[in-house]
Amino acid sequence: MLKAENIKLSFGDNEILKGINLEIKEGQVVSIIGPSGSGKSTFLRSLNFLETPNDGEITFDGKKFDVKNISKKDINELRKYTTMVFQNYNLFKNKTALENVIEGLLVVKKMNKEEAVGIGLKMLEKVGLKDKADSYPNQLSGGQQQRVGIARAIAMNPKVILLDEPTSALDPELIGEVLKVIKDMVQEHMTMIIVTHEMQFAREISDYIIFMDNGVIVEEGTPEKVFVNSENERLKSFLKRYSGVNE
């Protein structure tokens, strides 16, 4: 469904991604783990060109895009298939929860407002926030704002949802409510790529795990292979900081 081959990205002399490969099939959940600064979020953002790679190819539903020669039209086409959930929510502060959710439906999909509102309310209900439809972001907790961000993403009916550390900006007591929503999405067989520091969560919900460090994939495989059976010392050292994940 989605295949990234030899994705490289540098800022000046600083090489962030050193040739990353990933293939994800429809309905799969792939989690990307690793230390801060390993290139996880940069890679995720490269998949829909929020960051522009210097080299590599991205194939979506059989259509191949050369990142060095990609056009604005191709980028817009790619973005029709993917939506991003950001770690800092990225909500419009001057719009209500409902208005945030339907913005893409109105602007990108050119949907009429009545239809968009119907979908928006349904998505807010899905994340448990239908009663907050008329609330502005500053009237919502961090967990509620992130759930609005997730509702906005799924409202677009994307083929792949990209989640960039969706709980990293949340207070510990709010993390659970967002993880529950994501687990519900897994049950609906949504295709997702998740960058996360929540190791136990990644182990529970993922079909495939990628461990990145210093711009490369160091280890990858099933949750059991990565969390239980890996012989990679760098990965084992990383996991030791998370109690219970490699027992």
Side-chain angles (χ1 to χ4, degrees), residues 28-190:
Q28 271 194 322
V29 177
V30 174
S31 288
I32 305 175
I33 64 172
S36 297
S38 59
K40 307 182 302 295
S41 292
T42 301
F43 173 61
L44 193 74
R45 292 168 65 86
S46 296
L47 293 176
N48 70 347
F49 286 83
L50 289 173
E51 304 283 359
T52 303
N54 306 114
D55 201 2
E57 293 180 334
I58 294 175
T59 305
F60 209 110
D61 276 357
K63 185 168 183 180
K64 188 170 281 194
F65 301 90
D66 178 354
V67 302
K68 286 190 290 191
N69 299 305
I70 197 163
S71 66
K72 184 70 176 170
K73 182 183 175 187
D74 287 339
I75 291 173
N76 288 337
E77 184 177 347
L78 259 177
R79 286 178 178 167
K80 286 179 184 175
Y81 302 124
T82 63
T83 55
M84 177 79 79
V85 175
F86 299 90
Q87 52 186 299
N88 290 312
Y89 330 131
N90 277 32
L91 300 180
F92 294 106
K93 304 299 183 191
N94 62 335
K95 294 182 184 293
T96 65
L98 178 60
E99 287 169 340
N100 268 282
V101 172
I102 68 174
E103 179 76 5
L105 298 176
L106 299 173
V107 175
V108 178
K109 295 206 168 183
K110 310 296 183 190
M111 198 175 283
N112 72 64
K113 188 167 185 181
E114 186 179 357
E115 187 181 359
V117 166
I119 291 172
L121 289 172
K122 194 179 293 184
M123 295 305 109
L124 284 173
E125 185 171 22
K126 194 181 283 261
V127 299
L129 288 175
K130 191 175 181 182
D131 61 325
K132 300 291 186 182
D134 296 325
S135 299
Y136 288 89
N138 65 2
Q139 298 171 312
L140 301 172
S141 70
Q144 288 170 332
Q145 289 184 66
Q146 189 59 289
R147 283 190 280 155
V148 172
I150 292 171
R152 175 179 60 187
I154 59 179
M156 297 295 287
N157 195 27
K159 294 195 173 183
V160 181
I161 300 177
L162 310 173
L163 298 101
D164 184 13
E165 299 194 24
T167 60
S168 67
L170 300 177
D171 293 332
E173 68 268 21
L174 300 177
I175 289 173
E177 65 186 64
V178 173
L179 296 185
K180 180 186 180 303
V181 169
I182 297 172
K183 285 180 181 178
D184 290 343
M185 292 159 64
V186 173
Q187 295 303 314
E188 294 185 24
H189 306 291
M190 293 185 186

